[in-house]
Amino acid sequence: MPASESEPGTYRPHSAPLDGRRIRVAVVGTGAIARDSHLPALARLPEEVEVVAAVDIDAASVEACCAESGIPHAYTDLDRMLREQRPDLVTICTPPTLHRDQTVAALRAGAWVWCEKPPVPTLADFDAVEAAEGEGGGPYAAIVFQHRFGSGSRHVRRLLAEQALGRPLVAHCQTTWYRDTAYYAVPWRGRWRTEGGGPAMGHGIHQMDLLLDLLGPWSEVRAMAGRLVHDVETEDVSTALVRFENGALATVVNSVLSPDEVSRIRIDCARATVELTHLYGHSNAHWRITPASDVPAELAAQWQDFGQDVPSSHLAQLRELVASMRAGQRPRSSGADGRTSLELIAALYKSAFTDATVKAGEIGPGDPYYSAMHGGAPGWAPVAGEGVSA
């Protein structure tokens, strides 16, 4: 799917306002994530959105998807779809190596973008996407970080922001999942160029993003990475120590080697411990707040009141994205707010491969880790002419 032919930094804004009409949506990529997550979420908002087109290089796949979901127009060419359908929102559900060009093409065509994680393979790519966004009202490109959204994370975020639980002190962020050899038989997985990284990039990014959303900016990281089981270019496990600007210290573990799968965040504050334990999504019941022994029971009960249960989901994020579009405001998980997680991952890799502490803001143009997550490190960078078996 070629990129748009528009000049860099330009786009064609829509003349019709969003007020009083449904948002026209196009889905790019018709694989499992589109069919299982994006399209069901879009279908839950029939008064807000209408899916007008789908795009995939596999004609049979996109035609079947359109037939199953009642989508009127099937395309195998992204640029043609953008010219003919002029969608307001493009959701990108393709492998990471395609995200930059497809996002930029959509932005330059005047469409907002909602792109699956990881957003792009490198910080350089992310900055190119941000440079293609509109000014003063969009269009903007948001990342699918659905774990930030829902009643549980909203409630805990407020408690932490108000320091109701006391100052955050110690945190643990764990994404310990299991992926077998068959998983890496998919050609684009386990390769730097096409996936951007291993479990830190493709799996743990959700929990790390939620941790940053709850605790705020990080200041430095020290990490290790290993390739212990799988025959891939990237790592299959990583660990990191992270210091936050507020002084809190955190441990981070990302693994695809763990048969007992779990996603977990724990934050120990001066007056209470907050813990989230789940796998691929959370509701109020997955959160637990344990007060210190001297906290009054009445106050502890207030902390436990999460309100109406709104699970984390694509739907929860989509609702907020639609509201941002109608208001012409930058959505959460876009721009600098979306970049922070990608920067932490780049710093994690740089620290692991150079055996050094990496500071926030250190990786910029000219740094090898700005344009490639492996940074050209010996033993980690792809070797020209060598394939990788799975």
Side-chain angles (χ1 to χ4, degrees):
M1 285 174 262
S4 169
E5 296 178 357
S6 302
E7 290 298 319
T10 65
Y11 67 97
R12 301 186 300 275
H14 293 294
S15 57
L18 296 178
D19 293 342
R21 67 176 179 87
R22 292 192 293 172
I23 292 172
R24 293 168 55 82
V25 183
V27 177
V28 180
T30 55
I33 193 66
R35 298 186 190 211
D36 296 344
S37 297
H38 285 248
L39 288 171
L42 290 162
R44 293 283 300 276
L45 299 178
E47 295 181 356
E48 291 280 3
V49 303
E50 57 176 331
V51 182
V52 297
V55 185
D56 200 294
I57 58 173
D58 185 333
S61 176
V62 69
E63 289 168 6
C65 180
C66 287
E68 293 166 4
S69 302
I71 302 171
H73 302 287
Y75 290 86
T76 57
D77 182 270
L78 174 61
D79 282 340
R80 180 182 173 189
M81 184 278 293
L82 292 171
R83 289 193 305 268
E84 294 181 359
Q85 298 302 321
R86 296 303 302 263
D88 305 301
L89 173 65
V90 172
T91 75
I92 295 181
C93 310
T94 54
T97 188
L98 302 175
H99 289 178
R100 170 179 170 166
D101 288 348
Q102 292 174 343
T103 299
V104 169
L107 289 168
R108 290 176 181 166
W112 292 52
V113 174
W114 192 32
C115 182
E116 270 297 330
K117 61 77 189 168
V120 285
T122 70
L123 288 172
D125 291 329
F126 191 96
D127 291 347
V129 166
E130 193 171 2
E133 292 181 326
E135 297 179 0
Y140 299 115
I143 309 163
V144 177
F145 279 145
Q146 74 272 21
H147 289 201
R148 290 190 187 193
F149 297 83
S151 52
S153 55
R154 180 176 62 245
H155 178 66
V156 171
R157 186 185 309 110
R158 180 182 62 80
L159 291 176
L160 291 170
E162 296 174 353
Q163 292 209 352
L165 309 181
R167 185 165 63 94
L169 302 171
V170 183
H172 305 277
C173 180
Q174 176 184 354
T175 305
T176 44
W177 294 356
Y178 185 79
R179 297 294 182 266
D180 60 14
T181 301
Y183 176 84
Y184 286 103
V186 177
W188 58 267
R189 287 180 177 151
R191 290 157 171 76
W192 293 107
R193 185 181 65 81
T194 50
E195 194 169 19
M201 187 71 149
H203 305 82
I205 189 171
H206 273 306
Q207 298 314 299
M208 289 188 287
D209 179 75
L210 178 55
L211 183 72
L212 293 173
D213 191 52
L214 295 174
L215 287 184
W218 61 277
S219 58
E220 62 181 3
V221 60
R222 185 68 186 257
M224 293 188 293
R227 191 187 294 122
L228 303 185
V229 172
H230 295 291
D231 183 15
V232 292
E233 290 179 348
T234 66
E235 88 288 2
D236 54 18
V237 63
S238 68
T239 63
L241 302 176
V242 182
R243 188 187 306 274
F244 284 80
E245 286 187 3
N246 61 18
L249 299 177
T251 62
V252 177
V253 179
N254 301 302
S255 167
V256 289
L257 310 178
S258 309
D260 183 8
E261 296 185 294
V262 69
S263 304
R264 179 180 291 119
I265 287 178
R266 171 177 168 143
I267 302 173
D268 296 319
C269 301
R271 304 185 71 193
T273 292
V274 180
E275 188 166 11
L276 167 66
T277 305
H278 66 115
L279 187 54
Y280 298 137
H282 53 84
S283 62
N284 288 353
H286 291 100
W287 293 84
R288 184 177 65 179
I289 299 178
T290 304
S293 58
D294 61 345
V295 172
E298 182 179 351
L299 180 57
Q302 293 176 11
W303 295 346
Q304 301 287 354
D305 183 5
F306 283 74
Q308 180 181 359
D309 191 7
V310 179
S312 69
S313 64
H314 283 69
L315 176 61
Q317 183 173 2
L318 179 62
R319 288 185 189 278
E320 191 168 312
L321 175 59
V322 166
S324 296
M325 290 181 66
R326 294 199 182 281
Q329 298 175 346
R330 176 177 286 284
R332 292 173 60 202
S333 79
S334 71
D337 183 46
R339 191 182 191 274
T340 182
S341 299
L342 196 66
E343 185 187 4
L344 176 60
I345 294 168
L348 183 155
Y349 285 133
K350 181 176 181 178
S351 175
F353 301 158
T354 63
D355 193 29
T357 298
V358 177
K359 306 285 187 180
E362 174 180 319
I363 302 175
D367 189 301
Y369 291 87
Y370 179 73
S371 55
M373 287 289 177
H374 56 71
W380 288 102
V383 178
E386 290 190 5
V388 177
S389 64

